[in-house]
Amino acid sequence: MWLNRVWRVPGIRLAWGVVLVCLAGALLVFAIVHHATESSWRDQIDARVAAAQADISADIAANQLGVAWNVRATLAEGSGLLYAALAPDGTWLAGNFRPAPDVAAHWTGPKTLPRAPDLGLPPHVLAVRGTVLNLPHGERLFIAADASALMTLKSLIARSFLGVFGTIMALGLIISLLIGRATTRRLDGFTRTLHDIVAGDLTQRIALSRHEDEFDRLAREVNQALARIQQLMENLRQVTNDISHDLRSPLARLREHLELSRAQMQDERFRAVCDEAIAQLDQALAIFSALLRLAEIEAGARRARFQTLALTSLLETLVESYEPAMADGGLALEAQIEPGLQLLGDRDLINQAIANLLDNILIHAAGAKTARLSAQRRDGRIDITLSDDGQGIPAAQRERVMQRFVQLDPTRQAGGYGLGLPLVNAVVALHGGTMMVGASDAGGVRVKLSLPGA
């Protein structure tokens, strides 16, 4: 898992790209050096063998004493090469090495052969390179030079390349892992800080190192942005508090005065006016409370109060509470709740979100006869679904109902303020979940909440 994270770092992939380029360069250099060295040694050996072949061919033609006698005479002079004269039937006649008949049969042109038991080489010779001379009477003369130095040089070049290759690979791996570990640590610091900020702690800042690198420059800019966001949020909270004290309190006092005035007046017309005014004030206070609640949720401050809650028990309690009200409205509430569901979150907010959805079914599901609530685990998450068989929401309006103060009934006779679904969406987002509004199988509304399990 850690190696996968390291490999995703762009700098690591760039570093390995450089390593691969270096390896390709080393391989090219090795190939050029190997080819040039081997070609030079082969040319020198082939030149010696060709010269010896020409000399002994001339001697055989001049003295007419046979190939065996000429080979012995050449060896007596100490030429430093290897000779093997074979009769037409493959019998060895003379020389200082004895190739087996099957080897001799396949040795035609210039060839390099490593030491093998069937070559019959002297003990100190590791490889030979030579050719064969076919004589007029069917004899064959093999002339070769000691190629031990060539084999040793090729082996040395190969070992040197492997050493360079392994060193580059090892250094590239070590350096990449160190860079990746340092990079992921810095990124982990970024993500932890941002997670704490999203959780509501706006005082957190990304730590700076002493290197003044790109991460430090980025962290400094992010910290400045966070400081500005903290200032704006504090201003917003202050404005909210000011509105709460400066507006709600006068409205509450006005409502109290209207109630006292209504109680003291006997005129029914005046009492009706007071009732209408009180109802309007209650609606204004309810809207104001809902907006404050929504702002508090979206600010993320409630995350600090998260704890593991028994979701199954909470949903079963809500079902029991709403069954009588839905039965009075001609609705049958069906529930299918998986036992043992647990959720990390705010109990009051989850309770309010589900209650808002049940209230929507009660108030807005025109023509509905059945409402369903289900909850189950799925792929490490908890899916909560509420649906009905009412008239539903047109597909073009499903995104719009998530906005504040949006009501599909333009006359607003159904009640509500158009804040129910936005509040539910804010609660779900606060808990790291998603909300989808669609059509149920029966043609009504289907709302699905997907939340991370505890």
Side-chain angles (χ1 to χ4, degrees):
M1 190 63 159
W2 179 78
L3 288 177
N4 289 336
R5 291 184 59 207
V6 169
W7 179 248
R8 294 192 189 101
V9 177
I12 300 302
R13 296 198 294 272
L14 178 61
W16 268 104
V18 174
V19 170
L20 292 178
V21 170
C22 293
L23 291 177
L27 180 61
L28 179 61
V29 171
F30 164 76
I32 294 173
V33 171
H34 180 272
H35 177 73
T37 305
E38 186 176 13
S39 298
S40 176
W41 277 82
R42 280 202 313 266
D43 292 344
Q44 294 181 26
I45 292 175
D46 291 346
R48 290 183 61 196
V49 171
Q53 188 178 22
D55 291 344
I56 199 168
S57 296
D59 291 343
I60 294 173
N63 55 38
Q64 299 292 321
L65 295 177
V67 63
W69 186 90
N70 283 277
V71 166
R72 294 189 190 97
T74 301
L75 290 175
E77 295 174 358
S79 67
L81 297 177
L82 299 172
Y83 294 85
L86 274 67
D89 60 357
T91 303
W92 182 83
L93 299 176
N96 53 358
F97 80 105
R98 297 191 179 194
D102 57 340
V103 174
H106 295 89
W107 192 351
T108 56
K111 185 182 295 186
T112 303
L113 297 176
R115 182 180 182 84
D118 54 3
L119 272 177
L121 297 175
H124 66 280
V125 179
L126 302 179
V128 293
R129 178 174 177 79
T131 187
V132 61
L133 176 64
N134 295 312
L135 300 174
H137 299 291
E139 296 100 338
R140 305 183 72 195
L141 175 60
F142 294 89
I143 304 175
D146 185 355
S148 301
L150 176 60
M151 299 297 292
T152 301
L153 182 61
K154 291 174 63 176
S155 176
L156 177 62
I157 294 175
R159 287 197 302 270
S160 300
F161 171 74
L162 290 177
V164 172
F165 183 89
T167 302
I168 294 175
M169 286 287 291
L171 289 176
L173 178 61
I174 293 172
I175 293 174
S176 298
L177 291 178
L178 291 176
I179 294 175
R181 186 174 180 83
T183 303
T184 52
R185 280 183 175 179
R186 295 295 301 276
L187 293 177
D188 288 341
F190 274 59
T191 54
R192 281 194 301 268
T193 302
L194 294 177
H195 178 76
D196 293 339
I197 291 170
V198 172
D201 186 3
L202 296 178
T203 62
Q204 292 291 329
R205 295 292 181 271
I206 299 173
L208 301 176
S209 70
R210 62 179 182 276
H211 303 298
E212 290 295 328
D213 54 11
E214 291 80 2
F215 284 106
D216 288 328
R217 291 196 292 272
L218 176 61
R220 189 174 289 106
E221 295 297 326
V222 172
N223 287 340
Q224 291 178 359
L226 292 174
R228 179 59 177 164
I229 292 173
Q230 182 183 10
Q231 181 183 4
L232 294 175
M233 291 301 298
E234 289 175 352
N235 292 339
L236 178 61
R237 289 172 183 169
Q238 184 62 42
V239 170
T240 302
N241 291 333
D242 292 343
I243 293 175
S244 176
H245 289 89
D246 297 341
L247 184 58
R248 292 186 66 186
S249 297
L251 290 176
R253 288 196 299 270
L254 177 59
R255 187 185 189 284
E256 183 180 355
H257 290 323
L258 286 173
E259 287 184 341
L260 291 175
S261 300
R262 180 186 182 280
Q264 294 173 2
M265 293 296 176
Q266 299 299 323
D267 189 344
E268 290 299 328
R269 290 178 299 176
F270 182 79
R271 292 169 67 91
V273 171
C274 288
D275 289 340
E276 177 64 22
I278 290 172
Q280 294 294 334
L281 283 174
D282 287 341
Q283 183 177 5
L285 289 171
I287 294 174
F288 186 75
S289 297
L291 287 173
L292 289 179
R293 183 85 158 170
L294 192 57
E296 180 187 15
I297 294 170
E298 291 177 342
R302 296 292 289 264
R303 282 194 180 90
R305 297 166 54 181
F306 277 14
Q307 59 184 356
T308 302
L309 59 95
L311 183 61
T312 298
S313 175
L314 185 149
L315 294 177
E316 290 174 346
T317 301
L318 282 169
V319 170
E320 293 176 1
S321 301
Y322 273 85
E323 277 181 339
M326 289 195 172
D328 292 341
L331 275 168
L333 179 57
E334 300 176 357
Q336 186 178 0
I337 303 171
E338 183 177 333
L341 294 178
Q342 290 187 326
L343 182 69
L344 182 65
D346 188 303
R347 181 183 182 86
D348 294 338
L349 293 181
I350 294 295
N351 184 84
Q352 182 177 359
I354 305 301
N356 279 8
L357 295 177
L358 292 171
D359 286 335
N360 278 349
I361 295 176
L362 268 174
I363 299 172
H364 301 292
K369 299 298 182 183
T370 305
R372 293 181 177 84
L373 187 152
S374 66
Q376 64 274 335
R377 294 184 186 89
R378 184 171 299 171
D379 298 331
R381 299 180 71 82
I382 297 176
D383 291 343
I384 304 173
T385 305
L386 291 97
S387 60
D388 61 69
D389 56 358
Q391 65 181 7
I393 300 176
Q397 300 291 334
R398 290 171 190 163
E399 292 292 334
R400 185 168 172 265
V401 296
M402 303 295 292
Q403 301 173 9
R404 300 182 186 185
F405 300 109
V406 171
Q407 291 183 300
L408 298 183
D409 180 12
T411 63
R412 297 181 181 263
Q413 293 179 355
Y417 317 114
L419 294 173
L421 289 180
L423 191 144
V424 175
N425 191 33
V427 170
V428 172
L430 180 71
H431 288 78
T434 58
M435 174 181 174
M436 292 186 296
V437 179
S440 66
D441 295 336
V445 179
R446 178 176 180 267
V447 179
K448 178 181 177 183
L449 311 181
S450 180
L451 299 167

